[in-house]
Amino acid sequence: MKYISVNYKLSICKRITLLVVLLFYLLSVEGQTAIFKNGVQQGVVKVKFDPSMTATLSQMQIRTRGTTFSTGISTLDKAVGTLRATHMERLIPESSNPQLEAKHRKAGLHLWYIIEFDTNVDVNTAIKTLQNVFGVKKVERKHFKTVGPHQIKP
């Protein structure tokens, strides 16, 4: 019987673990394809809050409950509940660099959030629902982006 070193066994275990993690990652990414209809992404809107909501937004803690979430802002929670919203995050994530974050706040980028909801809910319905929420200044569709028409010539 040949002697197999402990380091070799650990190396095999690490490779198998890495392969399993990579497989799970690829399977989870597969189900996250965006659905577009007439150039508009279904199930996603961008929301800009009023600057008067800055203090409320900075204290807001988004808590997930199963397939939905709550923000602690009752009118917003009610609206996202009717849309069967599943996720909410800042459009431009908070920067760890205080100088950069100050620039984001000066430009009002801290007021923009992305809300993901059930793709079976019409985007126009979602926009109308969220526009009626106190503190929401603007709601926009998320459009398909392209570099533009171009041709490759040999």
Side-chain angles (χ1 to χ4, degrees), residues 71-105:
T71 62
I73 303 170
S74 60
T75 55
L76 181 60
D77 288 342
K78 185 177 178 183
V80 297
T82 62
L83 301 174
R84 298 185 298 278
T86 57
H87 186 72
M88 179 175 167
E89 66 182 352
R90 266 180 60 167
L91 180 64
I92 307 293
E94 189 170 352
S95 176
S96 58
N97 180 341
Q99 294 170 332
L100 185 58
E101 183 60 25
K103 289 180 181 181
H104 288 169
R105 288 183 176 276

Side-chain angles (χ1 to χ4, degrees), residues 17-132:
T17 303
L18 182 62
L19 183 64
V20 168
V21 168
L22 182 63
L23 181 64
F24 278 119
Y25 174 75
L26 290 174
L27 289 175
S28 68
V29 171
E30 178 68 27
Q32 297 178 0
T33 55
I35 300 169
F36 288 89
K37 185 176 176 184
N38 297 327
V40 175
Q41 186 173 353
Q42 301 300 297
V44 179
V45 290
K46 297 183 284 186
V47 176
K48 182 180 183 182
F49 289 94
D50 193 80
S52 65
M53 296 287 290
T54 300
T56 306
L57 293 171
S58 63
Q59 294 173 3
M60 178 176 66
Q61 294 181 358
I62 301 172
R63 294 178 205 86
T64 50
R65 291 178 282 145
T67 58
T68 186
F69 65 90
S70 68
T71 62
I73 303 170
S74 60
T75 55
L76 181 60
D77 288 342
K78 185 177 178 183
V80 297
T82 62
L83 301 174
R84 298 185 298 278
T86 57
H87 186 72
M88 179 175 167
E89 66 182 352
R90 266 180 60 167
L91 180 64
I92 307 293
E94 189 170 352
S95 176
S96 58
N97 180 341
Q99 294 170 332
L100 185 58
E101 183 60 25
K103 289 180 181 181
H104 288 169
R105 288 183 176 276
K106 185 176 180 182
L109 297 178
H110 66 292
L111 301 171
W112 283 95
Y113 282 78
I114 293 177
I115 297 178
E116 296 176 7
F117 54 92
D118 188 348
T119 54
N120 294 322
V121 175
D122 183 48
V123 174
N124 293 324
T125 303
I127 290 172
K128 289 176 185 171
T129 302
L130 291 167
Q131 282 176 335
N132 293 326

